[in-house]
């Protein structure tokens, strides 16, 4: 247990601004209300995604399979300011249905959110998103962070 860093499920959050799509790896997220149906994500101020998401006012949480850990790690170590993470990882885009954003085709499940509120917590901003569309596509093992660069999964 001593090694566990953030024992949350790791997800990929997609954002779009001015026609450019980006992916950020995230561990600081959670569902936070049933009615209305809300999720929150906490995004560092220096991230490219912070600017994109705060301006576009929407995002998608993509629940990814453990098998794509290499791609997930890449999206958490490179910035969309300089690279096209879809191109570099080979992950595929599909259009979100209810917001102007893309989803990741390989995701096991997704949640499309429209931002209804946000607040600053230290060097991050918490964005609160109301779910406007969500679906569960297929079963699969999901990644959790064990250590900085190491993901584990459940049986
Ligand atoms: C496993 C893992 C989890 C991460 N979780 C978060 C997070 O919850 N919030 C955050 O702001 N950054 C998180 N990061 C860092 C961003 O993913 C990373 O800085 C990324 O390069 C930002 O990309 P961008 O500049 O294209 O937005 C995480 C990185 C990794 C590897």
């Amino acid at each position: 247990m001593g090694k566990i860093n953030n024992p949350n499920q790791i997800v990929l959050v997609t954002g779009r601004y001015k026609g450019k799509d980006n992916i950020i790896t995230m561990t600081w997220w959670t569902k936070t209300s049933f009615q209305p149906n809300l999720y929150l994500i906490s995004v560092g101020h220096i991230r490219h995604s912070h600017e994109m998401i705060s301006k576009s006012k929407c995002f998608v949480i993509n629940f990814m399979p453990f098998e794509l850990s290499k791609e997930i790690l890449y999206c958490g170590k490179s910035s969309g300011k300089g690279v096209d993470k879809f191109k570099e990882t080979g992950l595929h885009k599909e259009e979100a249905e209810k917001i102007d954003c893309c989803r990741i085709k390989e995701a096991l499940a997704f949640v499309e959110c429209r931002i209804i509120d946000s607040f600053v917590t230290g060097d991050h901003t918490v964005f609160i998103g109301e779910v406007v569309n969500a679906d569960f596509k297929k079963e699969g093992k999901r990644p959790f962070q064990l250590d900085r660069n190491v993901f584990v999964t459940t049986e």
Side-chain angles (χ1 to χ4, degrees):
M1 284 295 279
K3 271 190 101 184
I4 286 186
N5 189 352
N6 287 301
N8 299 336
Q9 187 183 160
I10 306 295
V11 297
L12 292 182
V13 171
T14 40
R16 170 181 290 162
Y17 183 61
K18 287 191 173 167
K20 279 192 82 179
D21 296 316
N22 192 28
I23 311 172
I24 177 172
T25 305
M26 296 207 55
T27 188
W28 291 350
W29 66 276
T30 189
K31 183 176 172 95
T32 182
S33 165
F34 279 127
Q35 196 54 254
N37 192 4
L38 304 177
Y39 277 73
L40 68 79
I41 57 171
S42 180
V43 186
H45 295 156
I46 60 169
R47 317 272 186 250
H48 186 54
S49 300
H50 186 277
E51 196 187 345
M52 295 179 80
I53 290 170
S54 60
K55 286 181 173 157
S56 70
K57 305 259 181 279
C58 59
F59 60 86
V60 179
I61 301 178
N62 301 267
F63 296 88
M64 301 302 294
F66 176 70
E67 290 69 29
L68 293 177
S69 291
K70 199 171 90 193
E71 289 78 0
I72 295 167
L73 198 55
Y74 179 85
C75 293
K77 293 204 168 276
S78 59
S79 177
K81 206 162 194 163
V83 297
D84 178 341
K85 298 190 202 179
F86 279 100
K87 205 168 142 211
E88 294 302 319
T89 57
L91 292 170
H92 295 92
K93 290 179 201 181
E94 62 183 20
E95 277 299 297
E97 285 152 67
K98 302 286 183 188
I99 52 175
D100 182 15
C101 196
C102 68
R103 306 191 301 236
I104 299 173
K105 208 169 185 173
E106 290 81 359
L108 301 170
F110 65 82
V111 180
E112 298 178 12
C113 293
R114 195 167 284 140
I115 294 173
I116 58 157
D117 206 351
S118 66
F119 54 90
V120 172
T121 51
D123 54 8
H124 280 53
T125 298
V126 168
F127 295 103
I128 300 174
E130 180 159 21
V131 178
V132 290
N133 187 30
D135 204 3
F136 183 81
K137 300 204 286 187
K138 53 186 179 223
E139 289 286 347
K141 291 180 181 177
R142 300 178 184 193
F144 294 77
Q145 190 176 23
L146 179 65
D147 205 351
R148 201 172 167 77
N149 295 323
V150 184
F151 298 160
V152 288
T153 192
T154 49
E155 281 308 313

